[in-house]
Amino acid sequence: MLNAETYVTSTEGTGGRIRVHNRDFEVEEIPLTEPSGSGPNTWIWIEKEGRTTLDVLLDIARELHLDRRRMGFAGMKDKRAVTRQWICVSNTAPSEVKAIEERIRNVKFLRVTANEKKLRMGQLLGNRFRIRIRDTEIDEPLETAKATLQELEAKGVPNYYGWQRFGSPRANTHLVGRALVHGDVKGAVDSYIGNPLEGESEIVSEARRAYDRGDLEEAYELMPSSMRYERMMLRPMLRDLRRGEFSDESYVRAIHALPKPLKRMFVHAYQSYLFNRAVSERVALGINTHIPGDIVIDNDQHIIHDADQDELEELILNFEAHPTAPLYGSKVPLASGRPGEIERRILEDEGVSLEDFNSIKVPKLGSHGMRRAIRFRIWDVDAHESQEGLTVEFSIPRGCYATSVLREIMKKDVV
């Protein structure tokens, strides 16, 4: 996991491989509420395989001839997996939605029903995972996995952001965000469209190289349809170029051409990259203990101000409170003591200030930041073996990553 260096469990790693097949990695949303069956909006319980949530929403919007902004979802789900989640189409009848199911690739509509309210980001309790680990590398992987899960149940899981946050397999969204925070909009666009990475196909790499040479026309012509977002960014740049009006504002327009969830992800990914480093250093001091200077939050995300050391220790041990690290932003408070030294040193190493996170040249992409728990709770754990490998099951809160759990079980980097 990007910028994650610390393990908190004492067990040997099982090693092995995940995602050999998409069905080795199953995710099911734990909804906050269920649709009522009446109302102006349609909710769809979908099962998708090998596709991002955003791609599916864009395809549904296209087939219904709707603006993408009329689509809603509670959380992004993995691409290299089989996932089930609710999505919403506002002011549309269930019959209209059912009519397009066969035209949406690698997606099943398991349930289509009406609801009074729309679905918003974050409106879920968590996610349930069932993951197969193949080709384990130790003699007793099942016993080891169970021991690891038991230890994580007791102390919590490091709350690292997974590779998905950074655009796996092309993990560069944090680099785009870093450029934006440093005031380099051109560098942000260059990072996203250009810079071919090892492992990309030759046609994709050639398109990126054409962009790096400054040949926007050739880059656009070479790009396959799978490079949907790069093509979106290039269109306004090409219009400006053909009109002889290309300027720094062309790069701003390129970023604004992207769907809102994606363009907001850039700065968030950079925050996540820095957060992972802060967590890695802070959990090395103890994941389930209070270090003087910590900023501690309760389960409602409120900072606890009036509690002494003993009270905080008890709250943390009972999972009623959690030490935090910063998602850096213009208004985020920083810790004091040893945790604060870590947080300030990271900013110095990056050459940025808190104010830089809200001084971005692309409007509405800045961030005030927040404190986020350095750990999360895991529940409903189970593990069993079959001829196909070791299967682990667990539930975790929304916004947390299963790969943080797998990393502790396998003791290796997992994507």
Side-chain angles (χ1 to χ4, degrees):
M1 300 179 76
L2 195 59
N3 243 11
E5 303 293 338
T6 305
Y7 296 105
V8 299
T9 50
S10 57
T11 50
E12 180 184 8
T14 66
R17 298 186 297 156
I18 62 169
R19 303 185 199 265
V20 175
H21 307 291
N22 285 338
R23 290 198 169 271
D24 288 349
F25 201 102
E26 296 185 36
V27 190
E28 183 165 308
E29 205 168 76
I30 306 171
L32 187 62
T33 60
E34 292 281 346
S36 65
S38 63
N41 307 299
T42 292
W43 284 33
I44 320 166
W45 182 245
I46 68 167
E47 179 180 283
K48 64 178 183 64
E49 179 176 351
R51 305 203 64 194
T52 69
T53 301
L54 189 54
D55 273 343
V56 172
L57 263 63
L58 288 168
D59 283 357
I60 292 173
R62 183 194 65 229
E63 293 296 334
L64 292 172
H65 306 290
L66 299 177
D67 190 308
R68 212 294 298 170
R69 288 171 290 187
R70 285 177 58 179
M71 310 288 297
F73 60 101
M76 294 280 199
K77 296 292 178 288
D78 298 82
K79 177 179 181 179
R80 294 169 57 202
V82 174
T83 72
R84 290 171 286 278
Q85 70 180 117
W86 284 109
I87 62 174
C88 172
V89 187
S90 65
N91 299 310
T92 302
S95 58
E96 295 180 67
V97 172
K98 290 177 182 177
I100 68 163
E101 177 180 4
E102 293 185 359
R103 302 203 294 272
I104 309 301
R105 179 175 58 86
N106 292 351
V107 176
K108 297 177 182 177
F109 291 2
L110 302 179
R111 185 179 169 197
V112 181
T113 187
N115 195 46
E116 289 85 359
K117 294 183 178 180
K118 300 175 184 179
L119 183 60
R120 305 292 188 190
M121 179 69 80
Q123 290 181 333
L124 71 160
L125 292 174
N127 294 286
R128 174 76 178 162
F129 291 85
R130 185 177 185 275
I131 300 169
R132 182 172 292 114
I133 304 171
R134 297 177 184 267
D135 304 324
T136 53
E137 300 162 14
I138 61 174
D139 290 336
E140 298 183 338
L142 179 59
E143 289 73 13
T144 298
K146 286 182 174 180
T148 305
L149 289 167
Q150 186 176 26
E151 197 171 341
L152 292 174
E153 280 186 290
K155 63 176 58 170
V157 182
N159 200 10
Y160 294 125
Y161 283 98
W163 280 101
Q164 308 97 299
R165 186 74 167 186
F166 308 105
S168 176
R170 183 176 163 82
N172 72 334
T173 52
H174 66 294
L175 301 178
V176 180
R178 174 188 275 161
L180 289 172
V181 170
H182 280 272
D184 183 9
V185 182
K186 179 183 183 299
V189 175
D190 291 351
S191 293
Y192 196 84
I193 302 178
N195 185 30
L197 299 182
E198 184 178 351
E200 293 187 297
S201 70
E202 181 55 33
I203 185 63
V204 168
S205 296
E206 184 54 38
R208 296 195 192 283
R209 285 193 289 268
Y211 176 86
D212 288 340
R213 294 193 300 269
D215 194 336
L216 306 191
E217 294 276 5
E218 184 181 3
Y220 188 81
E221 289 175 5
L222 287 171
M223 284 180 180
S225 59
S226 60
M227 298 178 73
R228 162 182 254 161
Y229 304 118
E230 289 87 346
R231 292 169 68 88
M232 283 182 185
M233 296 175 80
L234 274 172
R235 285 178 197 127
M237 297 169 69
L238 285 169
R239 281 196 297 269
D240 288 355
L241 185 66
R242 291 160 183 165
R243 294 170 181 167
E245 299 172 357
F246 197 92
S247 68
D248 289 345
E249 283 300 307
S250 302
Y251 295 107
V252 174
R253 283 189 281 275
I255 290 178
H256 273 315
L258 293 170
K260 184 178 178 180
L262 179 56
K263 65 187 176 186
R264 290 194 63 83
M265 185 64 72
F266 296 139
V267 173
H268 292 173
Y270 183 48
Q271 291 173 303
S272 303
Y273 173 81
L274 300 181
F275 177 84
N276 276 7
R277 178 176 168 187
V279 169
S280 194
E281 295 194 36
R282 171 57 189 80
V283 299
L285 306 179
I287 191 172
N288 61 341
T289 189
H290 176 257
I291 303 296
D294 270 331
I295 295 176
V296 178
I297 60 172
D298 61 23
N299 287 324
D300 293 320
Q301 310 297 312
H302 299 138
I303 293 175
I304 299 174
H305 295 285
D306 302 316
D308 62 27
Q309 177 77 14
D310 291 340
E311 290 173 315
L312 289 171
E313 286 283 1
E314 184 174 358
L315 290 169
I316 290 168
L317 287 173
N318 292 328
F319 285 93
E320 296 175 67
H322 313 273
T324 63
L327 281 166
Y328 290 103
S330 60
K331 294 185 178 180
V332 70
L334 298 182
S336 58
R338 290 179 69 191
E341 292 173 7
I342 292 170
E343 294 170 14
R344 288 171 175 83
R345 175 167 40 79
I346 290 171
L347 281 177
E348 291 172 6
D349 290 349
E350 287 289 315
V352 297
S353 68
L354 294 180
E355 292 73 24
D356 291 335
F357 285 85
N358 212 33
S359 302
I360 293 169
K361 294 178 182 178
V362 183
K364 300 182 179 180
L365 295 193
S367 175
H368 294 318
M370 62 179 288
R371 303 295 302 192
R372 173 178 161 99
I374 66 168
R375 64 175 189 163
F376 61 84
R377 194 169 197 172
I378 184 174
W379 69 95
D380 288 343
V381 303
D382 192 18
H384 59 272
E385 279 186 296
S386 70
Q387 289 185 340
E388 293 184 289
L390 170 68
T391 297
V392 294
E393 300 182 28
F394 51 86
S395 296
I396 60 177
R398 66 182 177 89
C400 301
Y401 288 79
T403 42
S404 292
V405 180
L406 292 172
R407 180 178 176 273
E408 292 287 340
I409 294 170
M410 300 167 70
K411 296 295 188 296
K412 63 183 290 186
D413 193 23
V414 288
V415 180

